[in-house]
Amino acid sequence: MAKDEIILGIDPGTQLMGYALLRIHNGQPQVLLMDIIKLTAQKDIYARLETIHARVCELIKLYKPSTFAIEAPFFGKNVQSMLKLGRAQGVAIAAAMQAGLTVTEYSPKKVKQSITGNGNADKDQVWKMLQRILQIEEKPQYFDATDALAVALCHHYQSSSPLAAAGKGIKGWEAFIAKNPGRVKKM
């Protein structure tokens, strides 16, 4: 019997940070936790970063996830906001790496594509699909929490697909052909 996998998904932010824990039991995803950290009470960015680090460390200690997935920041027009978001993401990643977790980063478009089939889906479409897939009744107050859950589920889909299993350790077509010469048809 395979051991359950637990994925910690993070939607980084400097005002609200979403997080979710997803258990994979017999190949089926189950929500353990989905919530946010409100960081707006702290004016100091460094205090916010410390809060992010402490909460991620606490989640890792309590739930013992096997992997960590985080949404990559999308490129906006405000450079200062991007720098702050990058710091928040880096602090969360550092906490995961410090705990020995494998870190995987997904673009917002990849997450949406993985959950809804449409890389341009809006947050409500992503939420409705999560509700359907994971049989969740109660809508959370903030989409940051559902975004984190979508990141975790995206990671499950990406890491459990037959293509992911076939391509472990393969970078590009040349490496695939070298590793699988019998699968090449010569014409």
Side-chain angles (χ1 to χ4, degrees):
M1 188 166 167
K3 184 178 181 269
D4 286 359
E5 177 186 11
I6 296 176
I7 303 166
L8 173 55
I10 299 286
D11 177 36
T14 55
Q15 298 195 10
L16 294 173
M17 185 189 88
Y19 59 90
L21 286 132
L22 191 67
R23 172 187 285 134
I24 311 304
H25 178 73
N26 293 329
Q28 297 301 312
Q30 304 166 338
V31 179
L32 290 177
L33 178 67
M34 176 176 56
D35 206 352
I36 58 139
I37 304 171
K38 273 191 183 180
L39 300 159
T40 51
Q42 300 167 314
K43 296 290 178 216
D44 181 29
I45 184 65
Y46 302 112
R48 291 179 184 194
L49 295 175
E50 197 280 325
T51 301
I52 291 168
H53 187 270
R55 184 64 178 141
V56 171
C57 287
E58 180 184 24
L59 290 167
I60 291 168
K61 187 177 178 182
L62 287 172
Y63 292 93
K64 298 177 181 23
S66 43
T67 56
F68 177 91
I70 191 164
E71 189 171 83
F74 58 93
F75 296 99
K77 293 178 183 171
N78 186 329
V79 175
Q80 286 301 314
S81 293
M82 287 302 301
L83 288 171
K84 289 176 184 174
L85 186 57
R87 288 176 180 162
Q89 184 192 33
V91 165
I93 290 170
M97 292 182 74
Q98 189 175 31
L101 295 178
T102 302
V103 173
T104 308
E105 186 177 28
Y106 296 100
S107 72
K109 199 171 198 81
K110 180 71 171 180
V111 173
K112 292 172 187 178
Q113 174 74 36
S114 184
I115 303 304
T116 68
N118 175 5
N120 296 315
D122 65 29
K123 290 179 180 290
D124 197 52
Q125 289 172 309
V126 172
W127 163 241
K128 284 188 169 63
M129 192 59 87
L130 288 170
Q131 274 186 301
R132 195 171 296 143
I133 295 166
L134 300 168
Q135 286 120 34
I136 304 169
E137 298 290 324
E138 190 176 321
K139 183 176 181 176
Q141 191 174 356
Y142 299 98
F143 277 128
D144 304 81
T146 61
D147 287 352
L149 183 60
V151 170
L153 187 59
C154 171
H155 181 71
H156 166 61
Y157 288 157
Q158 297 304 310
S159 60
S160 65
S161 79
L163 291 175
K168 287 216 188 291
I170 296 175
K171 303 275 188 224
W173 282 111
E174 292 82 11
F176 179 82
I177 291 167
K179 193 169 182 177
N180 301 281
R183 298 192 58 190
V184 177
K185 289 185 180 179
K186 299 197 184 207
M187 304 182 104

